[in-house]
């Protein structure tokens, strides 16, 4: 099946610093990439949707200046948490939409990044 | 807007037995996909099974099968011969092909007991 990588898997940073998370689709070209945030034992909360070469579309309540998304190519999207604060600590998951081996539209997920802001 | 409802926050099943997880959704769209994802303690989201709305035949993947009732907007997951490795949180998801983004249910935590 399709593989989506995410780097780093976990990061600990000091309050006020910026953190960049990379998401790559390894064996397919992703038409769209998504960024989610997940709190323990809760569902995925969509933060933004990005298409290659265009600005990301943010969900209501998500600060676009806080969470910068760049979709540089069909295989790479980055999420930068700017001036991180302890309340930004969470599990961030990226996802890429592409075609599976049968040519069917499917959404694949990265392994997630655990961000801890001290 | 689409909504996805998983009415069972937690479920348990004995190893080797069968369990069914329920999911209902609400949409006015006609073209969409439905998915079940598994999230084990590692937190990696794993695709379990998918269903195209235009297909009447229920999808099956080995021990996993769905009961897709389009008119009732129901999409339940049946796990046969449950294994300890099936212990995880399961999410039902709806993909709106026009809007291009998924809506997830709140999840069902499944525990398979030995």
């Amino acid at each position: 099946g399709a593989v989506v990588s995410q780097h780093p898997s976990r990061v600990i940073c000091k309050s006020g610093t910026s953190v960049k998370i990379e998401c790559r689709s390894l064996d397919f070209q992703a038409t769209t990439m998504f960024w989610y945030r997940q709190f323990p034992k809760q569902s995925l909360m969509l933060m933004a949707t990005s298409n290659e070469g265009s600005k990301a579309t943010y969900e209501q309540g998500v600060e676009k200046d806080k969470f910068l998304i760049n979709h540089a190519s069909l295989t790479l999207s980055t999420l930068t948490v700017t001036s991180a604060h302890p309340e930004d600590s969470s599990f961030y998951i990226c996802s890429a939409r592409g075609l599976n081996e049968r040519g069917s539209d499917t959404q694949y997920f990265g392994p997630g990044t655990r961000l801890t802001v001290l | 807007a689409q909504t996805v409802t998983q009415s069972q926050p937690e479920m348990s099943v004995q190893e080797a037995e069968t369990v069914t997880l329920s999911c209902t959704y609400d949409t006015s769209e006609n073209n969409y996909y439905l998915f079940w994802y598994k999230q084990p303690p590692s937190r990696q989201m794993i695709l379990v099974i998918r269903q195209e709305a235009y297909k009447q035949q229920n999808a099956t993947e080995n021990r996993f099968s769905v009961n897709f009732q389009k008119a009732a907007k129901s999409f339940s997951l049946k796990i046969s011969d449950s294994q300890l490795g099936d212990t995880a949180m399961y999410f039902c998801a709806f993909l709106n092909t026009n809007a291009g983004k998924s809506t997830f249910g709140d999840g069902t935590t499944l525990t398979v007991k030995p």
Side-chain angles (χ1 to χ4, degrees), chain A residues 4 32 34 36 38-44 46 49 59 91 93 97 100 102 104-112 114, chain B residues 33 35 37 39 42-47 50 52 55 60-61 89 91 95-102 104-107:
Chain A
V4 176
T32 307
F34 307 90
Y36 295 87
Q38 186 183 32
F39 293 103
K41 298 189 183 299
Q42 293 188 22
S43 189
L44 281 68
L46 180 64
T49 303
E59 295 299 301
F91 192 67
I93 306 175
R97 183 179 175 186
N100 68 5
R102 300 172 190 166
S104 299
D105 197 346
T106 304
Q107 191 173 347
Y108 299 95
F109 288 84
R114 180 176 301 283
Chain B
Y33 300 103
F35 304 89
Y37 289 94
Q39 188 178 41
S42 68
R43 302 191 78 172
Q44 167 75 63
M45 293 283 284
I46 301 167
L47 175 64
R50 71 191 303 279
E52 289 92 339
K55 288 187 177 180
T60 62
E61 289 287 344
M89 196 161 186
F91 291 98
L95 174 59
N96 181 336
T97 53
N98 291 328
K101 60 183 181 181
S102 295
F104 288 82
D106 288 337

Short mmCIF file of all heavy atoms in Angstrom, two decimals, chain A residues 4 32 34 36 38-44 46 49 59 91 93 97 100 102 104-112 114, chain B residues 33 35 37 39 42-47 50 52 55 60-61 89 91 95-102 104-107:
data_model
loop_
_atom_site.label_atom_id
_atom_site.label_comp_id
_atom_site.label_asym_id
_atom_site.label_seq_id
_atom_site.Cartn_x
_atom_site.Cartn_y
_atom_site.Cartn_z
N VAL A 4 3.18 7.01 3.59
CA VAL A 4 3.37 8.42 3.91
C VAL A 4 4.33 8.50 5.09
O VAL A 4 4.11 7.86 6.12
CB VAL A 4 2.03 9.09 4.26
CG1 VAL A 4 2.25 10.54 4.69
CG2 VAL A 4 1.08 9.03 3.08
N THR A 32 -3.76 15.96 -2.78
CA THR A 32 -4.09 16.81 -1.64
C THR A 32 -3.45 16.24 -0.40
O THR A 32 -3.37 15.02 -0.25
CB THR A 32 -5.62 16.86 -1.42
OG1 THR A 32 -6.26 17.24 -2.64
CG2 THR A 32 -5.99 17.87 -0.34
N PHE A 34 -3.40 16.70 3.98
CA PHE A 34 -4.16 17.22 5.11
C PHE A 34 -3.29 17.21 6.35
O PHE A 34 -2.44 16.34 6.52
CB PHE A 34 -5.38 16.34 5.37
CG PHE A 34 -6.26 16.10 4.17
CD1 PHE A 34 -6.03 15.02 3.34
CD2 PHE A 34 -7.31 16.95 3.88
CE1 PHE A 34 -6.82 14.79 2.23
CE2 PHE A 34 -8.12 16.72 2.78
CZ PHE A 34 -7.87 15.64 1.95
N TYR A 36 -3.76 17.13 10.56
CA TYR A 36 -4.69 16.91 11.66
C TYR A 36 -3.96 17.09 12.99
O TYR A 36 -2.75 16.91 13.10
CB TYR A 36 -5.26 15.49 11.63
CG TYR A 36 -6.12 15.16 10.43
CD1 TYR A 36 -5.54 14.67 9.25
CD2 TYR A 36 -7.50 15.29 10.48
CE1 TYR A 36 -6.32 14.35 8.16
CE2 TYR A 36 -8.28 14.97 9.39
CZ TYR A 36 -7.68 14.49 8.23
OH TYR A 36 -8.46 14.17 7.14
N GLN A 38 -4.50 15.68 17.02
CA GLN A 38 -5.26 14.70 17.80
C GLN A 38 -4.85 14.76 19.26
O GLN A 38 -3.67 14.64 19.59
CB GLN A 38 -5.03 13.28 17.26
CG GLN A 38 -5.91 12.25 17.94
CD GLN A 38 -5.64 10.84 17.45
OE1 GLN A 38 -4.53 10.49 17.09
NE2 GLN A 38 -6.70 10.02 17.43
N PHE A 39 -5.84 14.90 20.13
CA PHE A 39 -5.62 14.84 21.57
C PHE A 39 -5.86 13.40 22.02
O PHE A 39 -6.57 12.65 21.34
CB PHE A 39 -6.53 15.82 22.29
CG PHE A 39 -6.18 17.26 22.00
CD1 PHE A 39 -6.94 18.02 21.11
CD2 PHE A 39 -5.09 17.86 22.59
CE1 PHE A 39 -6.62 19.33 20.82
CE2 PHE A 39 -4.76 19.17 22.31
CZ PHE A 39 -5.52 19.91 21.41
N PRO A 40 -5.28 13.02 23.17
CA PRO A 40 -5.39 11.63 23.62
C PRO A 40 -6.83 11.14 23.66
O PRO A 40 -7.72 11.83 24.16
CB PRO A 40 -4.77 11.68 25.02
CG PRO A 40 -3.81 12.81 24.95
CD PRO A 40 -4.46 13.84 24.06
N LYS A 41 -7.02 9.96 23.10
CA LYS A 41 -8.30 9.27 23.10
C LYS A 41 -9.42 10.08 22.42
O LYS A 41 -10.60 9.89 22.72
CB LYS A 41 -8.73 8.91 24.53
CG LYS A 41 -7.74 7.95 25.20
CD LYS A 41 -8.29 7.43 26.50
CE LYS A 41 -7.27 6.54 27.20
NZ LYS A 41 -6.92 5.35 26.39
N GLN A 42 -9.05 10.97 21.55
CA GLN A 42 -10.04 11.74 20.82
C GLN A 42 -9.87 11.52 19.32
O GLN A 42 -8.92 10.88 18.87
CB GLN A 42 -9.92 13.23 21.15
CG GLN A 42 -10.30 13.56 22.59
CD GLN A 42 -10.36 15.05 22.84
OE1 GLN A 42 -10.54 15.84 21.90
NE2 GLN A 42 -10.24 15.45 24.09
N SER A 43 -10.82 12.05 18.58
CA SER A 43 -10.78 11.90 17.13
C SER A 43 -9.78 12.87 16.51
O SER A 43 -9.20 13.71 17.20
CB SER A 43 -12.17 12.11 16.55
OG SER A 43 -12.20 11.77 15.18
N LEU A 44 -9.61 12.74 15.22
CA LEU A 44 -8.72 13.64 14.49
C LEU A 44 -9.45 14.95 14.20
O LEU A 44 -10.58 14.95 13.74
CB LEU A 44 -8.29 13.00 13.17
CG LEU A 44 -7.19 11.95 13.24
CD1 LEU A 44 -7.64 10.69 13.93
CD2 LEU A 44 -6.68 11.63 11.84
N LEU A 46 -9.30 18.13 11.86
CA LEU A 46 -8.67 18.67 10.66
C LEU A 46 -8.27 20.11 10.90
O LEU A 46 -9.08 20.93 11.34
CB LEU A 46 -9.63 18.58 9.47
CG LEU A 46 -9.11 19.11 8.14
CD1 LEU A 46 -7.93 18.29 7.65
CD2 LEU A 46 -10.22 19.11 7.09
N THR A 49 -6.19 21.92 4.78
CA THR A 49 -6.07 21.12 3.56
C THR A 49 -5.15 21.87 2.61
O THR A 49 -5.30 23.09 2.43
CB THR A 49 -7.44 20.94 2.90
OG1 THR A 49 -8.33 20.33 3.84
CG2 THR A 49 -7.33 20.09 1.65
N GLU A 59 -9.21 25.28 8.50
CA GLU A 59 -10.51 25.09 9.14
C GLU A 59 -10.78 26.26 10.10
O GLU A 59 -9.86 26.93 10.58
CB GLU A 59 -10.55 23.76 9.88
CG GLU A 59 -10.44 22.56 8.96
CD GLU A 59 -11.56 22.47 7.95
OE1 GLU A 59 -12.74 22.41 8.38
OE2 GLU A 59 -11.27 22.47 6.73
N PHE A 91 -0.45 15.77 19.29
CA PHE A 91 -0.04 14.79 18.28
C PHE A 91 -0.53 15.29 16.94
O PHE A 91 -1.73 15.50 16.76
CB PHE A 91 -0.64 13.42 18.63
CG PHE A 91 -0.07 12.27 17.84
CD1 PHE A 91 1.25 11.88 18.02
CD2 PHE A 91 -0.86 11.56 16.96
CE1 PHE A 91 1.78 10.81 17.31
CE2 PHE A 91 -0.34 10.48 16.24
CZ PHE A 91 0.98 10.11 16.42
N ILE A 93 -0.82 14.78 12.84
CA ILE A 93 -0.81 13.73 11.83
C ILE A 93 -1.04 14.34 10.45
O ILE A 93 -1.95 15.16 10.28
CB ILE A 93 -1.92 12.69 12.09
CG1 ILE A 93 -1.85 12.14 13.51
CG2 ILE A 93 -1.84 11.55 11.09
CD1 ILE A 93 -3.00 11.19 13.86
N ARG A 97 -3.82 12.27 0.03
CA ARG A 97 -4.87 11.65 -0.77
C ARG A 97 -4.28 11.24 -2.10
O ARG A 97 -3.63 12.03 -2.78
CB ARG A 97 -6.01 12.63 -0.97
CG ARG A 97 -7.21 12.09 -1.75
CD ARG A 97 -8.30 13.13 -1.87
NE ARG A 97 -9.39 12.67 -2.71
CZ ARG A 97 -10.42 13.42 -3.09
NH1 ARG A 97 -10.48 14.67 -2.69
NH2 ARG A 97 -11.38 12.94 -3.85
N ASN A 100 -5.00 4.18 -4.72
CA ASN A 100 -4.41 2.94 -4.24
C ASN A 100 -4.05 2.04 -5.43
O ASN A 100 -4.19 2.42 -6.59
CB ASN A 100 -5.34 2.24 -3.26
CG ASN A 100 -6.61 1.71 -3.91
OD1 ASN A 100 -6.77 1.78 -5.13
ND2 ASN A 100 -7.51 1.18 -3.10
N ARG A 102 -5.46 -0.27 -6.75
CA ARG A 102 -6.57 -0.58 -7.64
C ARG A 102 -7.08 0.66 -8.35
O ARG A 102 -8.09 0.62 -9.04
CB ARG A 102 -7.72 -1.21 -6.83
CG ARG A 102 -7.32 -2.51 -6.14
CD ARG A 102 -8.42 -2.98 -5.20
NE ARG A 102 -7.96 -4.08 -4.36
CZ ARG A 102 -8.58 -4.51 -3.28
NH1 ARG A 102 -9.70 -3.94 -2.91
NH2 ARG A 102 -8.11 -5.51 -2.57
N SER A 104 -8.18 3.37 -6.86
CA SER A 104 -9.29 3.97 -6.13
C SER A 104 -8.78 5.08 -5.21
O SER A 104 -7.71 4.99 -4.63
CB SER A 104 -9.99 2.91 -5.29
OG SER A 104 -10.53 1.90 -6.12
N ASP A 105 -9.59 6.12 -5.11
CA ASP A 105 -9.27 7.29 -4.30
C ASP A 105 -9.21 6.89 -2.83
O ASP A 105 -10.19 6.37 -2.28
CB ASP A 105 -10.37 8.33 -4.53
CG ASP A 105 -9.95 9.72 -4.08
OD1 ASP A 105 -8.95 9.85 -3.36
OD2 ASP A 105 -10.66 10.68 -4.46
N THR A 106 -8.08 7.13 -2.20
CA THR A 106 -7.90 6.71 -0.81
C THR A 106 -7.06 7.75 -0.07
O THR A 106 -6.31 8.50 -0.68
CB THR A 106 -7.21 5.33 -0.75
OG1 THR A 106 -7.99 4.40 -1.50
CG2 THR A 106 -7.09 4.83 0.67
N GLN A 107 -7.21 7.77 1.23
CA GLN A 107 -6.45 8.69 2.07
C GLN A 107 -5.50 7.88 2.94
O GLN A 107 -5.94 6.97 3.64
CB GLN A 107 -7.41 9.52 2.92
CG GLN A 107 -6.77 10.68 3.65
CD GLN A 107 -7.80 11.57 4.33
OE1 GLN A 107 -9.00 11.47 4.08
NE2 GLN A 107 -7.33 12.44 5.22
N TYR A 108 -4.22 8.23 2.89
CA TYR A 108 -3.20 7.51 3.65
C TYR A 108 -2.60 8.45 4.69
O TYR A 108 -2.47 9.64 4.47
CB TYR A 108 -2.10 6.99 2.72
CG TYR A 108 -2.61 6.03 1.68
CD1 TYR A 108 -2.96 6.47 0.41
CD2 TYR A 108 -2.77 4.68 1.98
CE1 TYR A 108 -3.45 5.59 -0.54
CE2 TYR A 108 -3.26 3.79 1.03
CZ TYR A 108 -3.59 4.26 -0.22
OH TYR A 108 -4.08 3.40 -1.16
N PHE A 109 -2.20 7.86 5.81
CA PHE A 109 -1.75 8.65 6.94
C PHE A 109 -0.28 8.43 7.25
O PHE A 109 0.25 7.32 7.11
CB PHE A 109 -2.57 8.32 8.18
CG PHE A 109 -3.97 8.85 8.13
CD1 PHE A 109 -4.97 8.13 7.48
CD2 PHE A 109 -4.29 10.07 8.70
CE1 PHE A 109 -6.26 8.62 7.41
CE2 PHE A 109 -5.58 10.57 8.64
CZ PHE A 109 -6.56 9.85 7.99
N GLY A 110 0.37 9.51 7.70
CA GLY A 110 1.71 9.41 8.23
C GLY A 110 1.65 8.86 9.65
O GLY A 110 0.57 8.75 10.24
N PRO A 111 2.80 8.54 10.23
CA PRO A 111 2.84 7.95 11.57
C PRO A 111 2.64 8.95 12.69
O PRO A 111 2.53 8.55 13.85
CB PRO A 111 4.24 7.34 11.64
CG PRO A 111 5.05 8.17 10.69
CD PRO A 111 4.13 8.57 9.60
N GLY A 112 2.60 10.24 12.37
CA GLY A 112 2.35 11.24 13.39
C GLY A 112 3.61 11.81 14.02
O GLY A 112 4.68 11.20 13.99
N ARG A 114 4.73 13.72 17.67
CA ARG A 114 4.35 14.17 19.01
C ARG A 114 5.16 15.41 19.36
O ARG A 114 6.38 15.35 19.46
CB ARG A 114 4.60 13.07 20.04
CG ARG A 114 4.22 13.52 21.46
CD ARG A 114 4.39 12.37 22.45
NE ARG A 114 3.56 11.22 22.10
CZ ARG A 114 2.27 11.12 22.31
NH1 ARG A 114 1.62 12.13 22.88
NH2 ARG A 114 1.60 10.04 21.98
N TYR B 33 -16.94 8.30 -0.46
CA TYR B 33 -16.32 7.06 -0.02
C TYR B 33 -16.46 6.97 1.50
O TYR B 33 -16.49 7.97 2.20
CB TYR B 33 -14.83 7.02 -0.37
CG TYR B 33 -14.53 7.13 -1.85
CD1 TYR B 33 -14.08 8.34 -2.40
CD2 TYR B 33 -14.69 6.05 -2.70
CE1 TYR B 33 -13.81 8.45 -3.74
CE2 TYR B 33 -14.41 6.15 -4.05
CZ TYR B 33 -13.97 7.36 -4.57
OH TYR B 33 -13.70 7.47 -5.90
N PHE B 35 -14.74 4.87 4.92
CA PHE B 35 -13.57 4.13 5.35
C PHE B 35 -13.70 3.73 6.82
O PHE B 35 -14.36 4.41 7.60
CB PHE B 35 -12.29 4.99 5.24
CG PHE B 35 -12.02 5.54 3.87
CD1 PHE B 35 -12.55 6.77 3.50
CD2 PHE B 35 -11.24 4.85 2.97
CE1 PHE B 35 -12.30 7.30 2.24
CE2 PHE B 35 -10.98 5.38 1.70
CZ PHE B 35 -11.50 6.60 1.34
N TYR B 37 -10.78 3.08 9.70
CA TYR B 37 -9.36 3.13 10.03
C TYR B 37 -9.17 2.55 11.43
O TYR B 37 -10.00 2.69 12.31
CB TYR B 37 -8.82 4.56 10.02
CG TYR B 37 -8.71 5.17 8.65
CD1 TYR B 37 -9.74 5.94 8.13
CD2 TYR B 37 -7.57 4.99 7.89
CE1 TYR B 37 -9.63 6.53 6.88
CE2 TYR B 37 -7.45 5.57 6.62
CZ TYR B 37 -8.48 6.33 6.13
OH TYR B 37 -8.37 6.89 4.89
N GLN B 39 -6.51 2.58 14.68
CA GLN B 39 -5.38 3.28 15.30
C GLN B 39 -4.94 2.52 16.54
O GLN B 39 -5.53 2.65 17.61
CB GLN B 39 -5.75 4.73 15.65
CG GLN B 39 -4.53 5.55 16.10
CD GLN B 39 -4.88 7.00 16.42
OE1 GLN B 39 -5.91 7.28 17.03
NE2 GLN B 39 -4.02 7.92 16.02
N SER B 42 0.32 2.49 18.87
CA SER B 42 1.40 3.22 18.20
C SER B 42 0.91 4.54 17.60
O SER B 42 1.71 5.41 17.25
CB SER B 42 2.00 2.36 17.08
OG SER B 42 1.05 2.19 16.03
N ARG B 43 -0.41 4.65 17.44
CA ARG B 43 -1.09 5.83 16.91
C ARG B 43 -0.97 5.99 15.40
O ARG B 43 -1.39 7.00 14.84
CB ARG B 43 -0.66 7.11 17.64
CG ARG B 43 -0.92 7.03 19.13
CD ARG B 43 -0.76 8.35 19.83
NE ARG B 43 -1.92 9.21 19.63
CZ ARG B 43 -2.11 10.35 20.27
NH1 ARG B 43 -1.21 10.78 21.13
NH2 ARG B 43 -3.18 11.09 20.03
N GLN B 44 -0.40 5.00 14.73
CA GLN B 44 -0.38 5.01 13.27
C GLN B 44 -1.76 4.67 12.75
O GLN B 44 -2.30 3.62 13.10
CB GLN B 44 0.64 4.00 12.74
CG GLN B 44 0.52 3.70 11.24
CD GLN B 44 1.07 4.82 10.38
OE1 GLN B 44 2.24 5.14 10.42
NE2 GLN B 44 0.21 5.43 9.57
N MET B 45 -2.32 5.52 11.94
CA MET B 45 -3.63 5.25 11.35
C MET B 45 -3.48 4.24 10.21
O MET B 45 -2.72 4.47 9.27
CB MET B 45 -4.24 6.55 10.81
CG MET B 45 -4.61 7.55 11.90
SD MET B 45 -6.12 7.11 12.75
CE MET B 45 -7.34 7.61 11.53
N ILE B 46 -4.22 3.16 10.30
CA ILE B 46 -4.12 2.09 9.31
C ILE B 46 -5.47 1.92 8.64
O ILE B 46 -6.50 1.77 9.32
CB ILE B 46 -3.71 0.77 9.99
CG1 ILE B 46 -2.35 0.94 10.69
CG2 ILE B 46 -3.65 -0.36 8.97
CD1 ILE B 46 -2.02 -0.20 11.64
N LEU B 47 -5.46 1.95 7.31
CA LEU B 47 -6.71 1.75 6.59
C LEU B 47 -7.12 0.28 6.70
O LEU B 47 -6.36 -0.62 6.38
CB LEU B 47 -6.53 2.13 5.12
CG LEU B 47 -7.71 1.87 4.20
CD1 LEU B 47 -8.91 2.72 4.62
CD2 LEU B 47 -7.35 2.16 2.75
N ARG B 50 -12.42 0.07 2.73
CA ARG B 50 -13.04 1.23 2.10
C ARG B 50 -14.25 0.77 1.30
O ARG B 50 -14.31 -0.39 0.84
CB ARG B 50 -12.05 1.94 1.19
CG ARG B 50 -11.71 1.16 -0.07
CD ARG B 50 -10.52 1.77 -0.80
NE ARG B 50 -10.72 3.15 -1.16
CZ ARG B 50 -11.39 3.54 -2.22
NH1 ARG B 50 -11.99 2.67 -2.99
NH2 ARG B 50 -11.49 4.83 -2.50
N GLU B 52 -16.97 2.34 -1.80
CA GLU B 52 -17.45 3.41 -2.66
C GLU B 52 -18.97 3.45 -2.56
O GLU B 52 -19.63 2.41 -2.58
CB GLU B 52 -17.06 3.15 -4.12
CG GLU B 52 -15.58 3.30 -4.41
CD GLU B 52 -14.82 1.99 -4.26
OE1 GLU B 52 -15.31 1.07 -3.57
OE2 GLU B 52 -13.72 1.91 -4.84
N LYS B 55 -21.20 1.60 -5.12
CA LYS B 55 -21.19 0.14 -5.17
C LYS B 55 -22.17 -0.43 -4.14
O LYS B 55 -22.14 -0.08 -2.96
CB LYS B 55 -19.79 -0.40 -4.87
CG LYS B 55 -18.79 -0.17 -5.99
CD LYS B 55 -17.48 -0.88 -5.70
CE LYS B 55 -16.51 -0.71 -6.87
NZ LYS B 55 -15.21 -1.39 -6.60
N THR B 60 -15.15 -6.37 1.52
CA THR B 60 -14.57 -7.32 2.47
C THR B 60 -13.06 -7.33 2.30
O THR B 60 -12.54 -7.17 1.20
CB THR B 60 -15.10 -8.75 2.26
OG1 THR B 60 -14.72 -9.19 0.95
CG2 THR B 60 -16.60 -8.81 2.38
N GLU B 61 -12.37 -7.48 3.43
CA GLU B 61 -10.92 -7.61 3.44
C GLU B 61 -10.56 -8.64 4.50
O GLU B 61 -10.43 -8.32 5.68
CB GLU B 61 -10.24 -6.26 3.77
CG GLU B 61 -10.31 -5.22 2.69
CD GLU B 61 -9.42 -5.50 1.49
OE1 GLU B 61 -8.50 -6.35 1.60
OE2 GLU B 61 -9.64 -4.87 0.44
N MET B 89 -8.19 1.67 18.53
CA MET B 89 -9.31 2.58 18.36
C MET B 89 -9.67 2.54 16.88
O MET B 89 -8.78 2.58 16.01
CB MET B 89 -8.90 3.99 18.78
CG MET B 89 -10.07 4.94 19.02
SD MET B 89 -9.55 6.34 20.02
CE MET B 89 -11.11 7.16 20.27
N PHE B 91 -11.87 4.20 13.74
CA PHE B 91 -12.54 5.40 13.28
C PHE B 91 -13.27 5.13 11.97
O PHE B 91 -12.70 4.56 11.03
CB PHE B 91 -11.54 6.53 13.05
CG PHE B 91 -10.92 7.06 14.31
CD1 PHE B 91 -9.67 6.63 14.72
CD2 PHE B 91 -11.59 7.99 15.09
CE1 PHE B 91 -9.09 7.13 15.88
CE2 PHE B 91 -11.02 8.49 16.25
CZ PHE B 91 -9.77 8.05 16.65
N LEU B 95 -15.48 10.45 3.11
CA LEU B 95 -14.72 11.32 2.22
C LEU B 95 -15.65 11.90 1.17
O LEU B 95 -16.20 11.16 0.34
CB LEU B 95 -13.58 10.55 1.56
CG LEU B 95 -12.79 11.30 0.48
CD1 LEU B 95 -12.15 12.56 1.03
CD2 LEU B 95 -11.73 10.40 -0.15
N ASN B 96 -15.80 13.21 1.22
CA ASN B 96 -16.61 13.91 0.24
C ASN B 96 -15.73 14.15 -0.99
O ASN B 96 -14.79 14.93 -0.93
CB ASN B 96 -17.09 15.24 0.85
CG ASN B 96 -17.95 16.05 -0.09
OD1 ASN B 96 -17.89 15.91 -1.31
ND2 ASN B 96 -18.78 16.91 0.48
N THR B 97 -16.02 13.49 -2.08
CA THR B 97 -15.15 13.60 -3.25
C THR B 97 -15.17 15.01 -3.85
O THR B 97 -14.19 15.43 -4.45
CB THR B 97 -15.56 12.59 -4.32
OG1 THR B 97 -16.95 12.74 -4.60
CG2 THR B 97 -15.31 11.18 -3.84
N ASN B 98 -16.26 15.72 -3.66
CA ASN B 98 -16.33 17.08 -4.20
C ASN B 98 -15.52 18.05 -3.34
O ASN B 98 -14.72 18.85 -3.84
CB ASN B 98 -17.78 17.56 -4.29
CG ASN B 98 -18.56 16.81 -5.36
OD1 ASN B 98 -18.00 16.41 -6.38
ND2 ASN B 98 -19.83 16.62 -5.13
N ALA B 99 -15.72 18.01 -2.04
CA ALA B 99 -14.98 18.90 -1.13
C ALA B 99 -13.56 18.42 -0.93
O ALA B 99 -12.68 19.20 -0.59
CB ALA B 99 -15.70 19.00 0.21
N GLY B 100 -13.34 17.12 -1.09
CA GLY B 100 -11.99 16.58 -1.01
C GLY B 100 -11.45 16.37 0.37
O GLY B 100 -10.25 16.16 0.54
N LYS B 101 -12.27 16.42 1.38
CA LYS B 101 -11.75 16.18 2.72
C LYS B 101 -12.66 15.23 3.48
O LYS B 101 -13.83 15.08 3.18
CB LYS B 101 -11.60 17.49 3.49
CG LYS B 101 -12.87 18.29 3.69
CD LYS B 101 -12.58 19.59 4.41
CE LYS B 101 -13.84 20.40 4.63
NZ LYS B 101 -13.55 21.69 5.31
N SER B 102 -12.07 14.59 4.48
CA SER B 102 -12.77 13.56 5.24
C SER B 102 -13.34 14.10 6.54
O SER B 102 -12.79 15.02 7.14
CB SER B 102 -11.82 12.41 5.56
OG SER B 102 -11.39 11.76 4.39
N PHE B 104 -14.41 12.52 10.28
CA PHE B 104 -14.20 11.33 11.10
C PHE B 104 -15.22 11.27 12.24
O PHE B 104 -15.64 12.30 12.78
CB PHE B 104 -12.80 11.35 11.72
CG PHE B 104 -11.71 11.07 10.72
CD1 PHE B 104 -11.23 12.08 9.91
CD2 PHE B 104 -11.20 9.80 10.59
CE1 PHE B 104 -10.24 11.82 8.98
CE2 PHE B 104 -10.20 9.53 9.67
CZ PHE B 104 -9.72 10.54 8.86
N GLY B 105 -15.55 10.04 12.62
CA GLY B 105 -16.34 9.84 13.82
C GLY B 105 -15.45 9.98 15.05
O GLY B 105 -14.24 10.16 14.93
N ASP B 106 -16.06 9.90 16.21
CA ASP B 106 -15.31 10.08 17.45
C ASP B 106 -14.50 8.85 17.85
O ASP B 106 -13.71 8.91 18.78
CB ASP B 106 -16.27 10.44 18.60
CG ASP B 106 -16.80 11.86 18.45
OD1 ASP B 106 -16.15 12.67 17.78
OD2 ASP B 106 -17.87 12.15 19.02
N GLY B 107 -14.73 7.75 17.16
CA GLY B 107 -13.94 6.56 17.42
C GLY B 107 -14.60 5.60 18.39
O GLY B 107 -15.41 5.98 19.24
#
